[in-house]
Amino acid sequence: MSKLDPTQKHEQEPRSEESTEPTGEVGKSVNSKFGRRLVTGTGQFVDDINIPGQRHARFVRSQFAHAAIVDIDTSEAEAMEGVELVWTGSDLEPYVEPYGLILPDEEPLCTERARFVGDEIAVVVAKDRQTATLAAEKVDVEYERLETVTDVDDALDDDAPLLHPDLAADPDNDVKGNIAAEYDLEVGDVDGAFEDAAVVVEDTFQTNKTNPTPLEPKGCVADYNPGEQELTLHTSNQAPHLMKEYLSDALTDLDPSDIVVKIPDIGGGFGVKIEAFPHEVCASALSMALGRPIKLVLDRLEEMQAGRGRHDERLHARLALSEDGDIVAWDVEVLQSTGAHASFGPAVISSAGITSAGPYYIPNQHIRGKTLYTNVMPGSAVRGFGDPQYTFAREQLLEVACDELGIDSLEVRRQNAPKLEEMPMRSPTGINWRGADIHECFDRVEDMINWDDHRGVGRTKDGKLRGVGMGTLMKRGGNKKVAGTESDAAVVQMNKFGDITVLIGTASIGQGTETGIVQIVADTLGVTSDRVKPIIGDSDVTPEGFGVWADRGTIIGGTAAGKAAEDLKASLTPLAAQMLGVSEDDVEFADGGVRAAGDPDNSVAMKDLAHEATFANPEDRPDGMKDGISLVGRARFDSQEAEVPDPKGSLSHGYTWGCLAVVVDVDPTTGEIDVVDVAISEDVGKAINPKMIEGQTQGAIAQALGEVLLENYDYDGSGNLTNGSLVDYHLPTAKDVPHITKIDEVETPDPTTSHGQKGVGECPLVPVPAAVANAVADATGIRFTELPLTPDRVLPRLVEEGLREL
Amino acid sequence: MSATDTVTIEVTLNGRSVEETLAARTLLSEFLRDHEHLTGTHRGCETAKCGACTVLLDGDPVKSCNMLAAQVDGKELTTVEGLMDGSELHPVQEAFWEKHGMQCGFCTPGFVVSSVALLEENEDPSIPEIRDHLAGNICRCTGYTKIIDSVQEAAKNQQEER
């Protein structure tokens, strides 16, 4: 089969020489555009917003994982001084309708039953947060407990209680029992490939339910103007324009055009701030009902119980290799616990399913999955979006297969990953692969981590069991929505003083997207980044865009902004040519203004150009500009291939490839795992801001190390969360993670983006669980297939294998 | 103590004298945010675990979500807003910006304030000393490497200034 893909017609630019000093703004480690206000505590987060006349709302949450709501007595709470009202689901019902990203299985307040501990049952409005909190405790809910479904086995049991019996009975959707959605993607001849393979390995892997825990709890201030009949929602959310749609899906009487979303500074997102959540829907409906601003900010306990997190999945996976190390088949069945709502769950299986073979060309693949309702906190989008789970299974099976064949796993990785020269190409599942060189990444990581020094070596001087392991990534960047292409529009404008602003519908959750976009604009216009101000997060002010998720901000938004800057440049070029006395072709935007090509002394500063464009006698301007120059550039950038995979196809705009290796020391007395070194190389296309890429990379790896070594939602058999606070749920601190400095960027440009850039922020997290498990296996000979790798799991296995020491 | 009990406190807050009568149950973080509008002191967990609400009490870092305002009567408080000298950033703030020791910025005031206290005590801390000192603060974005780089940079710059 030819791997070449004639449908992709891109000229691949060569990789630039290493370590050249950037001449423009792109490639420089520019400081965060918002950094000064953030280090001084003068940013504005949602809890810092107070609108005159506002009231404070707090939820009453379910004490039980699965219970019918028999009665709610709100009288004592309502009688409290300072309490304005208490609403239950039936009070809210006229304002809302069932909603959900993929299935309409959500309601902002439970009407008949609660489906997890922490499910929203009632909402209290009071003069201040403290009063609302105290009143919420006085709401008396009478429950009738129902049998609980806490894991995927419970959910699939023939006698399992159904979480959503109405949906299961409704012929208009595909919900069957507790199965919210099913997925099946098959390419090639999977059965035949397994039959003919030299080695077949298989195992069952169990990943953990975790919470990415952005440090700022979610919250909003909803402000309905009854005269204007318009709702303004200030909210901690990653996608201002999409929020208008999501919110209007949930609110009966509001269309997207009736909603304005304003995003303040956001204290982290990681995917769990995309959907419309109950606090946003309730606050909006309450503001409409009361004609007052309603503030509803969650606390950490609420975030732990109900704030959303990563899906735990059980993957039964098989991998087949030929005698000479070709990976010939990959077969995986996923059982995903999605919690009480489907939310993004089906997409977490399918999006990551299309790319689940990672960077390997595996001709025969079968990916199946079931999204299962369970009585636990719903899952959502989380950094990595299904990839860490598949990767955990795939990369471990690869090592096991190589062991059986007696061949080197690094060589097998290289052998099965396509080379840059083979691109553009189509993966067997239909992904458009272009402009990526993972082979360079393999070489650099092997070198940085000193692979051979640690592999199969045994012990450190202080008696720890040492090992090294690898994981790989081939991560989607810029996912399409459920329907159609995805895009960002941008406006770049200049005022009469030469000050430049870029308006874009993104949000700032900390990654530095706005700074990267500013650099792209500055680079295009030949000015420094301090001359460009980003204006983001306001759905009324910024042009349409999809926000920050799926590593899309710098790819899609950045490219749109670059194009808008080009548009502004084109509108100024005739005037610049006239002022410089050269032809338009000889106008360069550089050094903070325009200059004649080849003659840097013949130049005009941007402020003088702006002045000429706005104040000078119009009659002196070039033809076609006499009645005004807009000084506004605009553009939209669409992702490629609007067709949504069904089930084959290219889901994303582009793909980021790379690999990561870790060195671990396992303490044979305690079972503790210490990650002592990490090295990563990714082909990011173009490092727009190397310092921020490093920061994203370090942060993603540390976040993943928390998930691998520390974190796990611990529900008991009744669905009670036993570690629902930061005291019991351990997030990594500065003492728990290594200094991460071996970070390398390969720069093979993506031919379709403004500067060749690809996605970065989610990628480094993906390979970490696999790499740690592989390193532990190298250290101990024991394969751990269940996350997290906590001492209580590791130590008994060390005992079994005779490795425990006292 | 009933819900209506009040207490009057006098504090020196970021160098200025403040006298205020508050509900006795008012937390220090609530006093700062809701009464003094110093919203740089953030609420991340309200269980003294994350450190986003860290302020200096007579120069020592404390978690303001875990103390009553009444406990600071007669004392000196510094919040993240009080670290600047006019329009000049404190060297620790400057270093966190320059070395990219912050991303979303929500934990940053707590880390900055804790780091200021560390450098007052120890002008040239080692990496393990920095890790120990900052273990009471949680950052979810940076993975801590650039926070540690920032503290070291601030230490270097402060030593050069002295």
Side-chain angles (χ1 to χ4, degrees):
Chain A
M1 172 169 46
S2 169
K3 298 175 183 176
L4 272 181
D5 177 19
T7 66
Q8 298 190 66
K9 299 186 188 70
H10 307 293
E11 287 291 315
Q12 179 62 51
E13 295 167 49
R15 203 155 55 227
S16 56
E17 290 301 310
E18 295 302 311
S19 49
T20 48
E21 277 297 303
T23 49
E25 287 297 289
V26 164
K28 276 189 191 164
S29 285
V30 170
N31 286 352
S32 163
K33 288 297 283 187
F34 299 152
R36 204 171 197 279
R37 71 178 187 234
L38 297 176
V39 298
T40 51
T42 55
Q44 188 182 53
F45 294 88
V46 72
D47 197 18
D48 306 335
I49 296 172
N50 292 295
I51 301 176
Q54 76 185 9
R55 296 290 183 266
H56 295 258
R58 297 284 282 168
F59 283 122
V60 178
R61 294 181 179 275
S62 177
Q63 311 271 323
F64 297 109
H66 204 187
I69 298 165
V70 178
D71 185 50
I72 305 175
D73 182 356
T74 60
S75 57
E76 194 181 345
E78 282 173 315
M80 284 173 63
E81 193 191 330
V83 172
E84 199 142 322
L85 60 78
V86 182
W87 267 12
T88 65
S90 59
D91 299 310
L92 188 66
E93 227 165 359
Y95 296 87
V96 297
E97 46 201 89
Y99 65 101
L101 285 165
I102 294 170
L103 283 167
D105 60 6
E106 301 189 37
E107 47 186 4
L109 293 177
C110 306
T111 48
E112 286 169 10
R113 67 165 84 186
R115 295 182 178 84
F116 64 101
V117 172
D119 212 351
E120 294 81 2
I121 288 182
V123 64
V124 176
V125 176
K127 62 177 181 172
D128 56 43
R129 187 175 185 245
Q130 172 95 11
T131 306
T133 305
L134 293 172
E137 288 166 11
K138 302 288 185 196
V139 173
D140 188 15
V141 183
E142 188 186 333
Y143 301 92
E144 182 189 318
R145 294 184 65 176
L146 302 170
E147 206 183 322
T148 307
V149 175
T150 51
D151 61 27
V152 293
D153 293 321
D154 286 354
L156 287 170
D157 194 290
D158 287 341
D159 301 326
L162 298 187
L163 271 78
H164 294 278
D166 294 351
L167 284 177
D170 181 354
D172 288 343
N173 64 58
D174 295 332
V175 176
K176 292 189 206 92
N178 283 320
I179 304 171
E182 290 187 82
Y183 177 70
D184 197 318
L185 167 67
E186 186 166 12
V187 295
D189 174 14
V190 177
D191 290 343
F194 273 103
E195 271 173 33
D196 297 342
V199 60
V200 173
V201 289
E202 67 177 293
D203 213 330
T204 301
F205 299 86
Q206 178 66 52
T207 67
N208 45 342
K209 184 177 183 72
T210 57
N211 191 320
T213 324
L215 203 61
E216 179 208 28
K218 289 187 277 288
C220 67
V221 185
D223 187 8
Y224 183 72
N225 182 322
E228 199 71 48
Q229 295 188 299
E230 185 174 81
L231 174 76
T232 300
L233 185 72
H234 306 263
T235 186
S236 180
N237 179 274
Q238 299 175 221
H241 290 273
L242 288 183
M243 177 52 89
K244 291 167 50 157
E245 297 172 42
Y246 294 153
L247 202 56
S248 79
D249 285 345
L251 291 165
T252 309
D253 290 331
L254 290 186
D255 292 327
S257 56
D258 303 322
I259 300 169
V260 181
V261 176
K262 292 182 191 284
I263 310 284
D265 290 322
I266 305 176
F270 312 120
V272 294
K273 292 182 177 175
I274 299 175
E275 305 166 59
F277 291 104
H279 66 278
E280 291 161 319
V281 180
C282 282
S284 299
L286 286 164
S287 183
M288 292 171 74
L290 295 173
R292 284 183 178 284
I294 299 292
K295 182 168 180 174
L296 207 177
V297 177
L298 305 184
D299 65 28
R300 181 59 52 194
L301 296 174
E302 295 180 284
E303 282 284 6
M304 293 304 294
Q305 281 192 334
R308 311 298 192 256
R310 191 186 301 285
H311 295 90
D312 49 321
E313 294 183 344
R314 185 187 301 162
L315 302 97
H316 185 76
R318 293 193 297 155
L319 195 71
L321 270 69
S322 71
E323 203 165 335
D324 53 6
D326 284 342
I327 309 174
V328 292
W330 162 240
D331 171 40
V332 54
E333 183 175 15
V334 182
L335 297 178
Q336 175 196 65
S337 169
T338 191
H341 311 142
S343 174
F344 276 108
V348 168
I349 292 179
S350 63
S351 299
I354 292 175
T355 55
S356 67
Y360 311 121
Y361 191 96
I362 308 180
N364 307 293
Q365 300 184 31
H366 195 185
I367 323 296
R368 288 155 292 161
K370 289 185 174 73
T371 293
L372 297 162
Y373 287 128
T374 47
N375 291 118
V376 299
M377 178 181 81
S380 183
V382 177
R383 194 179 206 172
F385 205 78
D387 283 27
Q389 294 96 316
Y390 284 115
T391 306
F392 184 63
R394 186 191 68 239
E395 295 288 323
Q396 290 209 71
L397 287 181
L398 179 68
E399 292 286 344
V400 175
C402 290
D403 277 352
E404 288 197 16
L405 282 170
I407 52 179
D408 178 47
S409 62
L410 284 193
E411 285 316 308
V412 168
R413 287 189 174 94
R414 287 186 169 98
Q415 178 181 332
N416 286 278
K419 295 186 171 64
L420 179 59
E421 305 88 84
E422 297 173 279
M423 298 182 186
M425 64 189 286
R426 274 296 144 177
S427 85
T429 57
I431 304 162
N432 54 351
W433 278 345
R434 58 174 182 261
D437 190 357
I438 195 174
H439 292 269
E440 188 67 31
C441 301
F442 284 136
D443 292 349
R444 295 187 190 181
V445 165
E446 187 179 4
D447 182 46
M448 285 189 291
I449 203 78
N450 301 312
W451 182 271
D452 292 339
D453 293 351
H454 303 299
R455 186 72 168 176
V457 169
R459 286 182 186 256
T460 61
K461 281 181 194 151
D462 58 352
K464 305 273 174 60
L465 304 165
R466 172 155 289 188
V468 63
M470 180 177 277
T472 59
L473 66 109
M474 195 279 294
K475 174 78 181 66
R476 305 167 303 285
N479 271 17
K480 285 161 203 164
K481 274 188 67 185
V482 175
T485 186
E486 70 128 325
S487 64
D488 274 342
V491 170
V492 176
Q493 59 189 13
M494 193 157 80
N495 68 9
K496 62 189 178 185
F497 307 114
D499 302 325
I500 297 158
T501 48
V502 52
L503 289 76
I504 190 150
T506 187
S508 174
I509 56 175
Q511 342 84 309
T513 305
E514 71 295 327
T515 305
I517 287 172
V518 159
Q519 288 176 259
I520 286 169
V521 169
D523 192 79
T524 307
L525 291 172
V527 300
T528 49
S529 295
D530 59 346
R531 298 296 309 280
V532 182
K533 179 179 177 181
I535 295 178
I536 63 169
D538 184 322
S539 71
D540 253 5
V541 173
T542 62
E544 262 183 311
F546 283 10
V548 280
W549 44 277
D551 279 351
R552 63 181 304 288
T554 314
I555 311 176
I556 310 291
T559 300
K563 286 176 70 178
E566 291 286 356
D567 189 44
L568 173 62
K569 200 165 139 178
S571 78
L572 287 166
T573 299
L575 182 65
Q578 179 179 297
M579 290 177 76
L580 294 167
V582 298
S583 76
E584 290 183 23
D585 289 345
D586 286 333
V587 173
E588 284 181 354
F589 283 70
D591 285 342
V594 291
R595 67 183 186 196
D599 182 9
D601 292 338
N602 180 12
S603 64
V604 174
M606 199 62 95
K607 69 175 173 39
D608 297 328
L609 179 64
H611 188 272
E612 187 75 13
T614 51
F615 281 121
N617 185 353
E619 294 308 317
D620 296 340
R621 292 183 202 141
D623 288 344
M625 295 187 146
K626 296 191 192 302
D627 59 351
I629 303 174
S630 75
L631 297 188
V632 179
R634 38 171 88 80
R636 181 182 278 264
F637 182 66
D638 289 343
S639 71
Q640 292 196 319
E641 300 185 17
E643 289 298 310
V644 173
D646 184 27
K648 272 178 69 172
S650 201
L651 183 74
S652 300
H653 181 78
Y655 301 87
T656 301
W657 303 56
C659 62
L660 169 143
V662 298
V663 176
V664 301
D665 288 349
V666 182
D667 187 330
T669 63
T670 63
E672 278 176 288
I673 296 167
D674 192 10
V675 174
V676 295
D677 201 8
V678 184
I680 182 168
S681 177
E682 295 174 289
D683 190 340
V684 301
K686 176 71 193 173
I688 303 291
N689 186 320
K691 180 162 69 178
M692 290 190 172
I693 288 180
E694 275 181 24
Q696 284 285 291
T697 304
Q698 291 157 338
I701 293 170
Q703 193 161 41
L705 289 177
E707 292 189 85
V708 180
L709 300 175
L710 301 170
E711 300 170 38
N712 190 31
Y713 264 58
D714 184 15
Y715 284 101
D716 70 14
S718 304
N720 298 304
L721 180 58
T722 65
N723 58 347
S725 82
L726 293 191
V727 177
D728 299 313
Y729 181 95
H730 294 286
L731 295 168
T733 70
K735 293 185 74 164
D736 299 314
V737 291
H739 221 61
I740 300 167
T741 55
K742 294 176 178 173
I743 299 167
D744 175 80
E745 312 304 342
V746 175
E747 296 188 313
T748 314
D750 183 328
T752 68
T753 56
S754 69
H755 290 72
Q757 68 269 30
K758 303 168 190 169
V760 172
E762 295 190 42
C763 304
L765 186 145
V766 170
V768 174
V772 172
N774 280 338
V776 171
D778 182 42
T780 64
I782 304 168
R783 198 131 292 276
F784 288 90
T785 56
E786 194 173 343
L787 289 170
L789 306 184
T790 42
D792 62 304
R793 292 198 171 125
V794 174
L795 198 56
R797 297 288 302 281
L798 294 178
V799 172
E800 274 173 34
E801 299 298 322
L803 293 166
R804 170 82 198 274
E805 290 166 13
L806 295 170
Chain B
M1 184 173 74
S2 89
T4 53
D5 284 349
T6 60
V7 55
T8 298
I9 59 169
E10 276 184 61
V11 294
T12 306
L13 177 56
N14 295 335
R16 137 187 94 83
S17 294
V18 173
E19 182 181 331
E20 193 151 359
T21 301
L22 307 154
R25 65 174 185 225
T26 306
L27 295 170
L28 179 54
S29 56
E30 291 172 334
F31 164 65
L32 294 170
R33 289 182 55 83
D34 302 339
H35 295 258
E36 294 299 318
H37 308 291
L38 293 169
T39 53
T41 298
H42 294 149
R43 292 190 275 235
C45 70
E46 297 171 272
T47 51
K49 192 72 188 160
C50 81
C53 66
T54 306
V55 299
L56 298 180
L57 181 62
D58 289 341
D60 295 326
V62 297
K63 290 173 176 172
S64 63
C65 74
N66 201 29
M67 292 186 77
L68 292 170
Q71 291 174 275
V72 305
D73 183 35
K75 300 192 175 181
E76 190 176 322
L77 278 172
T78 305
T79 70
V80 67
E81 293 93 341
L83 296 175
M84 285 176 81
D85 180 7
S87 63
E88 290 278 307
L89 296 181
H90 187 282
V92 170
Q93 292 173 316
E94 187 72 47
F96 269 73
W97 191 19
E98 181 63 33
K99 289 286 167 187
H100 202 46
M102 50 73 228
Q103 288 184 30
C104 79
F106 195 78
C107 73
T108 309
F111 273 96
V112 166
V113 167
S114 290
S115 301
V116 167
L118 170 65
L119 297 183
E120 288 292 323
E121 265 176 37
N122 179 349
E123 63 179 32
D124 187 20
S126 65
I127 290 180
E129 285 171 337
I130 297 171
R131 288 188 188 280
D132 272 350
H133 183 84
L134 295 179
N137 293 67
I138 290 172
C139 170
R140 297 294 295 151
C141 297
T142 64
Y144 303 105
T145 296
K146 288 194 186 303
I147 289 179
I148 292 160
D149 294 345
S150 301
V151 177
Q152 289 190 305
E153 171 84 356
K156 192 183 85 187
N157 291 344
Q158 279 188 320
Q159 280 174 300
E160 280 169 10
E161 273 175 30
R162 278 173 186 152

